[in-house]
Amino acid sequence: MLRMFRKKRFLLLLFIGFIILLFARSDWMGRWMYPIYYIDDIKASSLNYEVDPYLVAAIIRAESNFETGRESPKGALGIMQIMPDTAGWIASKANFTNLTLDDIHHRADISIQMGTWYIKSLERQFKERRPLVIAAYNAGPGKVNQWLKDNVWDGELDTAHDIPYGETRRYVQKVIYYYNKYKELYPSF
């Protein structure tokens, strides 16, 4: 009986210690739950194309959770989930040469470079309006322009509930969430 009591007390103290550790080391726990991989590639491409690295990391997290070799049911490839047609367009506009779809699919550095270039292209097109850029990354710039033209959505984060595609609506909210979380957890990124 005494032995059982000691065991329960030990487990209770261990549990309390774990809870204290969680609160005392919340940044550590946050970084464990929201890691950023390929930091050097993200920084290099972000610097090269003048794109916020937190945005690139948030899009990668939403698209592939930093896993290379992913292919979406719609055929988007790689860590930044770039559609093959979009990859071809990016390659021709940005003068990427000697690339294959396999490179985009399996090489994080190539996918990040192309995806970051594309984000910059969308930022130019949508005048740096982040919710529009994020929505266009998901649904395509043609759809987003149509929503704006038809007054379906005004492009503001506060009215993201007006985005007619549920997937894109959730995507914009998710990317903004990850963006804010990364800024909080990685202030020197």
Side-chain angles (χ1 to χ4, degrees):
M1 183 74 162
L2 184 60
R3 203 170 175 195
M4 181 65 109
F5 178 72
R6 284 184 187 158
K7 192 181 227 183
K8 285 183 179 180
R9 188 171 50 171
F10 174 76
L11 290 174
L12 179 64
L13 288 173
L14 190 63
F15 177 73
I16 291 170
F18 179 71
I19 296 298
I20 290 170
L21 180 66
L22 281 178
F23 286 105
R25 306 284 297 169
S26 61
D27 284 349
W28 171 82
M29 182 58 97
R31 287 185 182 132
W32 178 74
M33 291 175 61
Y34 298 97
I36 298 177
Y37 301 107
Y38 309 106
I39 288 176
D40 292 337
D41 293 320
I42 293 169
K43 282 182 177 179
S45 289
S46 295
L47 187 62
N48 190 34
Y49 298 114
E50 299 177 346
V51 173
D52 186 337
Y54 294 107
L55 179 59
V56 176
I59 286 175
I60 293 171
R61 172 72 185 238
E63 290 288 349
S64 68
N65 200 21
F66 294 92
E67 291 179 34
T68 59
R70 303 243 347 233
E71 182 172 351
S72 78
K74 294 180 182 176
L77 302 173
I79 197 168
M80 291 198 75
Q81 293 290 278
I82 301 170
M83 292 297 287
D85 289 347
T86 304
W89 180 81
I90 293 168
S92 69
K93 293 291 185 185
N95 296 318
F96 287 100
T97 57
N98 301 321
L99 291 179
T100 66
L101 287 179
D102 195 56
D103 291 333
I104 297 160
H105 194 191
H106 295 287
R107 288 187 52 192
D109 60 329
I110 299 295
S111 186
I112 291 168
Q113 190 174 9
M114 291 187 89
T116 306
W117 184 94
Y118 186 51
I119 292 167
K120 184 61 179 184
S121 169
L122 294 171
E123 286 180 342
R124 280 190 215 104
Q125 183 175 352
F126 293 103
K127 299 175 179 38
E128 307 285 329
R129 292 176 64 195
R130 184 156 289 146
L132 291 170
V133 170
I134 296 167
Y137 195 93
N138 180 263
K143 284 288 180 202
V144 172
N145 278 319
Q146 190 66 47
W147 297 336
L148 292 170
K149 181 181 169 214
D150 295 344
N151 293 315
V152 172
W153 179 45
D154 64 6
E156 298 300 322
L157 186 57
D158 293 345
T159 58
H161 59 272
D162 292 335
I163 298 172
Y165 290 2
E167 175 188 336
T168 303
R169 183 173 46 253
R170 288 183 297 278
Y171 181 81
V172 169
Q173 293 165 341
K174 187 183 336 179
V175 170
I176 293 294
Y177 173 80
Y178 291 142
Y179 177 85
N180 291 331
K181 186 58 78 173
Y182 284 144
K183 283 192 81 148
E184 173 191 327
L185 293 172
Y186 300 90
S188 61
F189 183 50

